[in-house]
Amino acid sequence: MLRPADIKQSIDLVSIISESVQLKRSGRRLMGLCPFHSEKHPSFCVDPEKQLFYCHGCGAGGDVFNFVMKLHNYSFHEALTFLAEKAGIREIEDERLKFLKQLQTLFRKTLLLSQKAKIYLTKRKITPEKAEHFGMGLAPKNLLQILKEKNQLLQAQMSGFKNENFIRLLQGRLTLPFYDRCGNLVGFAARTLNNQVPKYINTEETEFFKKKNLLFGLNFLQHKEKVYIVEGYFDCISCLINGIPSVAAGSTSLTTHQAKLLKGFDRVVVAFDGDHAGKKATMRAFKILVAADIYPHAIFLPEGEDPDSLLRKGKKEQFLRLPEKDLFKLIINTIEKLPPQKAITKLNNLAGFLANIHSPLSKLLLQQIRKTFSIKIEKQTRKHLETEEQILQILLSSPELVENLEKRQLFEAMENSEIRKTLKYFAKHKTLPEGHTHMNLLARASIYPAQKNLIERAIRYLERKKVCREIVCPSEKS
Ligand SMILES: [Zn+2]
């Protein structure tokens, strides 16, 4: 398996950053225009010695893994693969990924032999060739037994098949594979063929498989022209079979991370189900797509239809002829029809949302609002950092101090368990794991260590907090 530490050693942060940012030397450090927010004067700083970066403008920071993850919107695993390739280190496959591939082969073979699955797929107008193309499979009815006999139960659990009950629930279900952007099979969705509840189950999330970071179907798209975002996996498969480029969010709640995967496409069209939930979700998708710097369009399906139902009825032409609505204009038109006071509140909310995004698209939309309504828009200030996050950042300036505070058990007083975990790790290892979420704070603390008075204030805060806690719940002392 690829080891992050090995890769970090054989890669230079400066050369990776220089591929996308023009850096100029300034003392011991290098400065450039931040690739993560738009700016005219450089506030993006790289420390070649420490191999860390930090931006004063937007607070982005960290090591080479954080940089690549943020820039390309990669998962940690994708960043690892990407950097390994740059470093010329060949990936030795992870055992768990190999295991998933083996299972996939088993599932596909099982599908070919099942009459029941065949009937089901025919009903859905999916030919055996197409089923094969999309990597569909069938979990054998005796999967648990097979895994036990092969002594692979533990391996299965580590790969997302959480326990025996889950495997039992999986047995006899139709499986759909999830791929990451490197083409690795990372997990499965499984649909019942017997009207079992729940209709769908997924293998559990692992470090490779984060469902909300993946878009089903993305790996099948060859061109980056238009793409439809649909709700369900079978909506997506039906679209693809009909030559309509689409991806499935897996539910109505599209995530920001999923949206960012579609950056690069010429046109993104939301095509959720023709029901109340679908309409509401389309409006939510507007914000998520805009936040990902994507101009959103949408089609609204006839009541009671979804892309799959429409296409299965042979109504491809009707689907393609549905008018593509400009979601921004649609929202503005709706606001215009409201009573004035309500309209202003709504507009301010929308403008506040846009003002907080800092992207070229959000600026453009804001300008349009100003032009259309010529009203003064209240600007919302960006949310301040959480106090505990500030304290974390201050403390990361001094490994010795953190070790000392850990001995005094002062971190128990902090509310945020993630921050507690980070501090405990830091106390022990004097650094954070590659690509860690709080690496931006460590980068800042390393490049610009906190001043003594700030450190003292942070310690006093923790001491006070601990005393408060002990008064509120004295039992914790024992
Ligand atoms: Zn920045």
Side-chain angles (χ1 to χ4, degrees):
M1 195 188 168
L2 290 173
R3 289 200 330 177
D6 294 342
I7 291 171
K8 208 170 179 175
Q9 261 187 358
S10 43
I11 271 238
D12 180 24
L13 175 67
V14 176
S15 72
I16 293 289
I17 292 183
S18 298
E19 286 177 10
S20 46
V21 180
Q22 213 179 342
L23 293 170
K24 272 202 188 121
R25 189 157 277 283
S26 152
R28 282 195 306 111
R29 292 166 193 147
L30 300 157
M31 300 293 294
L33 293 175
C34 177
F36 305 121
H37 81 280
S38 54
E39 60 176 5
K40 292 209 174 72
H41 303 289
S43 46
F44 183 81
C45 168
V46 183
D47 190 323
E49 222 169 279
K50 299 195 165 102
Q51 291 283 302
L52 293 168
F53 73 97
Y54 185 76
C55 169
H56 294 285
C58 65
D63 61 10
V64 68
F65 287 94
N66 298 98
F67 182 80
V68 169
M69 287 195 293
K70 199 163 166 64
L71 189 72
H72 299 294
N73 212 345
Y74 282 162
S75 69
F76 183 72
H77 184 68
E78 285 167 337
L80 196 69
T81 315
F82 175 84
L83 289 172
E85 205 166 286
K86 290 252 175 212
I89 300 171
R90 226 157 35 90
E91 176 165 28
I92 304 156
E93 261 202 350
D94 188 279
E95 284 304 315
R96 288 166 292 179
L97 293 182
K98 248 196 251 172
F99 175 72
L100 288 175
K101 253 193 206 165
Q102 278 174 23
L103 275 187
Q104 166 76 334
T105 310
L106 172 69
F107 292 172
R108 284 161 100 153
K109 280 186 187 155
T110 313
L111 179 68
L112 289 177
L113 299 173
S114 162
Q115 201 52 37
K116 186 175 178 179
K118 212 177 195 171
I119 293 169
Y120 177 79
L121 290 175
T122 311
K123 213 171 68 192
R124 296 208 83 125
K125 300 213 164 151
I126 298 170
T127 62
E129 293 74 34
K130 288 294 174 193
E132 174 75 17
H133 175 72
F134 292 111
M136 289 182 192
L138 188 73
K141 286 204 174 100
N142 56 346
L143 180 62
L144 185 60
Q145 196 193 333
I146 295 174
L147 292 173
K148 276 184 178 165
E149 277 167 10
K150 288 189 179 169
N151 214 357
Q152 287 180 323
L153 210 51
L154 188 67
Q155 209 170 9
Q157 274 164 8
M158 278 164 49
S159 313
F161 296 71
K162 49 193 155 192
N163 52 36
E164 294 195 11
N165 276 340
F166 175 82
I167 296 170
R168 270 188 216 105
L169 193 59
L170 188 73
Q171 294 179 147
R173 281 177 181 250
L174 192 73
T175 59
L176 297 166
F178 278 99
Y179 296 94
D180 69 10
R181 275 184 298 170
C182 305
N184 296 308
L185 174 71
V186 288
F188 292 100
R191 192 198 193 282
T192 176
L193 296 181
N194 307 318
N195 295 321
Q196 257 182 322
V197 265
K199 195 151 82 172
Y200 283 95
I201 54 173
N202 297 303
T203 51
E204 207 170 48
E205 302 221 324
T206 61
E207 69 178 283
F208 311 113
F209 179 39
K210 303 260 183 283
K211 198 177 147 250
K212 59 181 195 302
N213 294 355
L214 296 171
L215 277 168
F216 181 84
L218 189 61
N219 55 305
F220 294 110
L221 300 182
Q222 310 284 343
H223 306 289
K224 290 204 157 187
E225 286 149 14
K226 190 200 258 181
V227 64
Y228 290 90
I229 308 176
V230 298
E231 285 181 27
Y233 307 127
F234 280 100
D235 293 323
C236 175
I237 289 171
S238 275
C239 282
L240 292 173
I241 288 177
N242 280 282
I244 301 168
S246 81
V247 290
S251 70
T252 50
S253 41
L254 181 73
T255 68
T256 315
H257 202 111
Q258 287 177 324
K260 283 185 185 164
L261 296 174
L262 299 176
K263 241 180 137 164
F265 277 86
D266 294 343
R267 195 177 177 89
V268 175
V269 183
V270 181
F272 286 167
D273 294 358
D275 54 22
H276 182 65
K279 272 183 207 131
K280 270 184 92 171
T282 305
M283 290 312 178
R284 277 203 307 274
F286 165 79
K287 280 194 173 180
I288 290 160
L289 287 165
V290 169
D293 208 20
I294 292 170
Y295 199 100
H297 289 84
I299 53 173
F300 293 92
L301 275 74
E303 193 64 35
E305 301 281 5
D306 58 35
D308 179 48
S309 68
L310 215 56
L311 293 170
R312 268 201 277 160
K313 286 179 200 156
K315 295 187 176 171
K316 179 181 170 181
E317 289 313 311
Q318 190 190 337
F319 179 87
L320 291 175
R321 272 205 312 270
L322 288 169
E324 279 170 22
K325 298 270 165 74
D326 177 326
L327 272 181
F328 179 67
K329 281 192 186 141
L330 196 69
I331 288 172
I332 295 295
N333 288 345
T334 320
I335 292 178
E336 275 179 320
K337 285 178 198 136
L338 293 170
Q341 208 45 46
K342 241 186 169 176
I344 288 178
T345 316
K346 284 251 172 197
L347 266 182
N348 269 322
N349 287 343
L350 181 61
F353 159 75
L354 292 170
N356 273 330
I357 299 178
H358 305 290
S359 73
L361 174 61
S362 67
K363 267 188 202 146
L364 188 87
L365 298 182
L366 264 178
Q367 274 170 11
Q368 283 191 28
I369 292 183
R370 289 204 185 95
K371 245 200 255 162
T372 319
F373 295 93
S374 61
I375 56 159
K376 228 180 132 206
I377 293 155
E378 297 162 26
K379 262 191 203 159
Q380 281 182 6
T381 45
R382 237 205 293 177
K383 247 204 228 160
H384 282 291
L385 281 176
E386 297 291 326
T387 320
E388 291 200 342
E389 208 165 272
Q390 283 173 335
I391 289 188
L392 172 62
Q393 185 188 308
I394 293 166
L395 294 181
L396 290 177
S397 303
S398 166
E400 294 72 32
L401 174 71
V402 171
E403 196 187 342
N404 183 322
L405 297 179
E406 160 73 358
K407 279 187 198 138
R408 292 172 60 196
Q409 296 190 324
L410 278 183
F411 303 145
E412 304 304 327
M414 298 188 95
E415 311 276 351
N416 187 323
S417 63
E418 284 307 309
I419 291 181
R420 274 204 308 270
K421 260 191 241 160
T422 301
L423 281 166
K424 283 186 178 165
Y425 187 98
F426 190 70
K428 200 168 161 197
H429 302 276
K430 309 265 184 289
T431 182
L432 294 177
E434 286 78 11
H436 190 272
T437 6
H438 289 134
M439 198 53 115
N440 60 331
L441 303 181
L442 178 59
R444 195 197 152 131
S446 310
I447 301 176
Y448 307 99
Q451 286 172 349
K452 219 176 133 202
N453 62 335
L454 272 180
I455 294 180
E456 280 163 4
R457 254 169 62 191
I459 298 173
R460 276 203 302 278
Y461 171 89
L462 288 173
E463 286 168 345
R464 270 204 314 275
K465 194 99 205 214
K466 194 179 179 209
V467 173
C468 290
R469 269 229 155 172
E470 283 170 357
I471 294 167
V472 179
C473 16
S475 61
E476 278 189 7
K477 267 194 279 185
S478 56

